[in-house]
Amino acid sequence: MDKGFSILSKNHDAYLLIDLLGNIEFASENCEQLLGYSSINLQQSSLHKLFVTEFLDQTHTFFKCRAQEKLDNFDAQLQGKEGRIIDVNITAMPIYFEKDIIGSYLVLKDITFIKKHKLSIEREKEYHTLINKLSRLSEKHAIAGQLAAGIAHEIRNPITAIKGFLQLLMGENDGNKFYYDIIFSEIDRIEVILKELMVLAKPTKQKYEKIHLQDILEHVITLMVPQANLNNIQIEKEFNFTTTCILGDSNQLKQVFINYIKNAIEAMLDGGVLRINGSIIDSRQVNISIIDQGPGIPLEIFKQIGQPFFSTKENGTGLGMLVSRQIIKEHKGDINIESDAKGSSVHVKLPVCSY
C-alpha cells in the first residue's frame, strides 16, 4: 500500500493503513502524539503489537466480529508506549483496488477522557456527531486516493496497446518519421505522468533502513557529472557528516537528489559552478544544500513551484517537485527553496538516525 496522495497527508487525524495480514503499511504523524511511537516504528509493526488482543481475531489480521466489507465505527483499546492503555474510537473502512479489498483504513480518536470522566449526554451526542462527520470526510479522502490510483492504472493499459500497435503500423506503412516521433514522445510523456501520479495517489511501501547519506549523495553526483560536463558546469561538493546515518529509503532519496541536481544543471544555461554542501545541525539533523548560479526564479513562477502539473520546462510534467517534497516529508524532513538574481538554492533537512 502508499503515501499518498497529498489528499491523505492533509488529513489531521491519527490514521493507519493496514494490509490483509494485519501489517501496518503507513501511520500518520499524529499517531506519534497519540501512541508515543514514531511513525517509522509503527510502519515496522503489526496490529497484534498495537491493539489489546481481545479486540483482534485469532490470526491477528482484523478486529473480532468486524466485517471488512463496509464502513464500521467502534471503540477499542491500544497499547501505547511503556504499556500505556489508550481508549480509542475507531472508524474502519476497506480499501479497494479493482473490486478487491487490499487492506483497511483506520481513523483513531482518543476517547480516554470520555471513558474516565463520562461526559454528559449532550456532550456525548455532540462528540458522536463530530465523529460521524469526520468519519465521512475520512472515507471521502480514502476514496479520492483510490480513485486517483485506479484512473492511473486504467489509463496505463490502453496506452500500452496504443504504443504496441503504433510500432506495428510503422513497420507496415511508410510515413513521415517526424510524426511518428512526436506520437511516441507524447506517449512517453503520458507514461511518466502516470508513474508519478501513482506515487502521489497512494502510499507506497517504503524500505526504511539505516543508510549513510554521504554514500547516496556521492552516487548521485557520479551519475550527474556527465550531464554537468556537457553543460560546462563544475560540481563542487563539501560534506562533514562522513559517518552520519539516517533512517530512510535509499532509492527514494536518490530520486529526490537527482531531481534537484538535474533542475539546477538545467537552470545554469551559461555554465558555472554547482555547489553541493552537507552539514550537521545540532547533532539531530543533517542539511544538504544544492546551490546553482542560474538567473534565479521569477517571483510569479516561484509562487507556483510544487503545484501539480506546473512546469517551466517544455517536456516537464510538473510533478517532480511535488513528488520530491512528499518523499522528504515522509522521511520526517523539511525542504526550503530560496532564489535571487545570483541563483537558486534548495535546502533539505533530514533527521539523524538515533539508533
Side-chain angles (χ1 to χ4, degrees), residues 180-195:
Y180 282 120
D181 289 342
I182 290 177
I183 296 173
F184 276 115
S185 175
E186 292 305 305
I187 290 176
D188 290 340
R189 175 176 163 80
I190 292 173
E191 289 178 335
V192 170
I193 293 174
L194 291 176
K195 181 179 179 181

Side-chain angles (χ1 to χ4, degrees), residues 14-222:
Y15 65 89
L16 302 171
L17 298 182
I18 62 173
D19 65 15
L20 295 178
L21 298 178
N23 299 313
I24 299 174
E25 297 286 354
F26 182 80
S28 70
E29 294 181 2
N30 289 335
C31 287
E32 184 171 349
Q33 181 179 357
L34 175 64
L35 304 170
Y37 300 112
S38 70
S39 299
I40 293 177
N41 287 339
L42 285 173
Q43 288 165 201
Q44 298 171 344
S45 185
S46 58
L47 289 183
H48 76 274
K49 294 181 180 179
L50 185 61
F51 283 79
V52 174
T53 307
E54 66 184 69
F55 293 98
L56 301 174
D57 62 19
Q58 293 182 350
T59 60
H60 293 162
T61 59
F62 204 67
F63 303 98
K64 188 178 297 184
C65 301
R66 298 289 171 181
Q68 286 183 285
E69 294 80 20
K70 61 181 180 179
L71 179 68
D72 202 357
N73 184 272
F74 56 96
D75 294 342
Q77 288 185 322
L78 305 180
Q79 300 182 61
K81 198 169 184 178
E82 300 177 351
R84 182 167 55 97
I85 300 299
I86 305 166
D87 291 295
V88 295
N89 176 270
I90 297 176
T91 299
M93 63 197 77
I95 297 177
Y96 289 90
F97 186 74
E98 296 185 345
K99 298 183 180 180
D100 293 324
I101 296 177
I102 61 173
S104 300
Y105 179 78
L106 310 179
V107 180
L108 312 178
K109 299 288 183 181
D110 189 352
I111 58 172
T112 304
F113 180 81
I114 294 176
K115 289 287 186 179
K116 287 182 178 180
H117 302 282
K118 294 184 179 180
L119 296 178
S120 65
I121 296 177
E122 292 76 14
R123 291 289 302 276
E124 282 202 52
K125 287 182 178 179
E126 292 177 0
Y127 171 79
H128 286 293
T129 298
L130 179 60
I131 288 292
N132 290 334
K133 288 182 179 179
L134 292 176
S135 297
R136 289 194 294 270
L137 181 60
S138 298
E139 183 181 15
K140 289 179 180 178
H141 287 169
I143 292 173
Q146 296 166 37
L147 181 61
I151 290 174
H153 180 79
E154 291 303 321
I155 293 176
R156 181 175 292 173
N157 290 334
I159 285 295
T160 302
I162 291 171
K163 193 172 184 178
F165 280 106
L166 185 58
Q167 289 173 336
L168 292 176
L169 287 174
M170 285 183 64
E172 298 175 357
N173 299 275
D174 293 330
N176 192 320
K177 186 177 181 299
F178 177 71
Y179 295 157
Y180 282 120
D181 289 342
I182 290 177
I183 296 173
F184 276 115
S185 175
E186 292 305 305
I187 290 176
D188 290 340
R189 175 176 163 80
I190 292 173
E191 289 178 335
V192 170
I193 293 174
L194 291 176
K195 181 179 179 181
E196 294 186 333
L197 184 60
M198 290 293 288
V199 173
L200 292 171
K202 58 186 183 70
T204 55
K205 184 177 181 180
Q206 297 173 335
K207 183 183 178 182
Y208 284 113
E209 57 187 356
K210 195 173 182 180
I211 53 180
H212 290 280
L213 182 58
Q214 183 165 338
D215 291 344
I216 291 177
L217 292 169
E218 295 283 4
H219 180 77
V220 169
I221 291 172
T222 300

